[in-house]
Amino acid sequence: MALSLLCPLLATFLFMQTLADTSFIQSRAAYYPNSEENGTDVGACGFGSFGATVNGGDVSAASDLYRNGVGCGACYQVRCSNSAYCSGNGVTIVITDQGSSANTDFILSQRAFGGMAINKDAAASLLALGVVDIEYRRVSCSYPGKNITVKIHESSNNPHYLAFVLWFQQGSKDITAVQLCETENFVCKLLDRSHGAVWTTTAPPSGPLGLRMLFSDEEGEDESWIVPVNNIPQDWKAEETYDLGVQVN
């Protein structure tokens, strides 16, 4: 009787342990050797200085996970595998750039690379290694007290050309399409993704501008359009930021 009860319990434990192990993907990570402790402000996502300091500077370039810019802004839990140096939780990073080195999926900021360690001495040892084995998984981004925000790209020129990126997107979905809408007659058009996370249009409509954003999971099976509360004002200017008054989870 006792053995018959124990076997199902043992099988359940082994099954749950397998699920826990397979939720992470095995890979390798390096770090920016010539950068500041934070990320870079010239990352391929087009985030600018925001891309160097977002998430406290725990950011990374990615290779396949960049996904032609769709992966920009995605968050991952990354932890290294050497138990002598590495913590169990690792570090949560945000993708802000594209790149690979020595067959890696991630090139972390120095801050994030050291953040995988159990203490400062271990962090120094990790940095000395340069490249380490890691495991990672997609997790939700979190920006407490922040709404999704439009940052007008410096290349914009009102009223001839509009380019922008979206900051502080929470959750674990990707923004896969953006529509720009005239608020007076509600006509909307799809924007182009010029590069990274930069959305653009020539000859944008006059007046306040509304947005519609399509959020999708990585499989493209769960999609929903989100309409922000706030609009981009008629007198929008390059390098300005505008709070859209909405957030996702």
Side-chain angles (χ1 to χ4, degrees), residues 32 39-40 43-47 50-52 54 59-61 72-73 94-98:
Y32 289 107
T40 174
C45 288
F47 289 139
F50 175 81
V54 63
V59 299
S60 179
C72 291
V94 180
I95 300 300
T96 59
D97 196 6
Q98 180 184 26

Side-chain angles (χ1 to χ4, degrees), residues 175-189:
I175 297 177
T176 53
V178 176
Q179 290 183 335
L180 186 69
C181 305
E182 299 180 43
T183 55
E184 293 184 359
N185 56 23
F186 303 106
V187 173
C188 300
K189 68 174 181 177

Side-chain angles (χ1 to χ4, degrees), residues 225-241:
W225 286 96
I226 301 295
V227 179
V229 175
N230 300 333
N231 297 320
I232 300 173
Q234 179 175 351
D235 61 344
W236 54 265
K237 296 178 177 63
E239 301 193 69
E240 292 294 319
T241 58

Side-chain angles (χ1 to χ4, degrees), residues 51-220:
T53 59
V54 63
N55 195 41
D58 287 333
V59 299
S60 179
S63 52
D64 292 344
L65 297 174
Y66 179 76
R67 292 178 287 146
N68 294 318
V70 175
C72 291
C75 293
Y76 292 87
Q77 180 185 1
V78 182
R79 61 190 190 189
C80 53
S81 305
N82 189 327
S83 60
Y85 302 133
C86 305
S87 71
N89 292 328
V91 65
T92 297
I93 58 90
V94 180
I95 300 300
T96 59
D97 196 6
Q98 180 184 26
S100 64
S101 172
N103 298 316
T104 65
D105 275 312
F106 299 93
I107 303 178
L108 302 173
S109 65
Q110 290 191 36
R111 172 189 168 90
F113 199 87
M116 296 187 292
I118 53 177
N119 55 43
K120 288 184 178 180
D121 289 340
S125 296
L126 285 182
L127 290 167
L129 291 173
V131 180
V132 296
D133 293 328
I134 57 127
E135 54 185 14
Y136 70 90
R137 63 180 175 182
R138 180 81 180 262
V139 296
S140 292
C141 297
S142 179
Y143 300 105
K146 298 288 188 180
N147 291 322
I148 297 175
T149 299
V150 168
K151 166 64 187 298
I152 307 297
H153 197 268
E154 60 268 18
S155 63
S156 298
N157 180 16
N158 194 352
H160 306 292
Y161 177 73
L162 173 61
F164 62 83
V165 294
L166 297 167
W167 290 358
F168 302 121
Q169 173 201 342
Q170 291 191 161
S172 58
K173 291 187 176 181
D174 304 311
I175 297 177
T176 53
V178 176
Q179 290 183 335
L180 186 69
C181 305
E182 299 180 43
T183 55
E184 293 184 359
N185 56 23
F186 303 106
V187 173
C188 300
K189 68 174 181 177
L190 281 170
L191 299 185
D192 297 319
R193 183 193 294 273
S194 69
H195 66 279
V198 181
W199 300 93
T200 65
T201 182
T202 55
S206 59
L209 302 174
L211 292 182
R212 297 179 74 236
M213 302 172 291
L214 181 63
F215 287 80
S216 307
D217 63 10
E218 288 185 285
E219 292 74 31

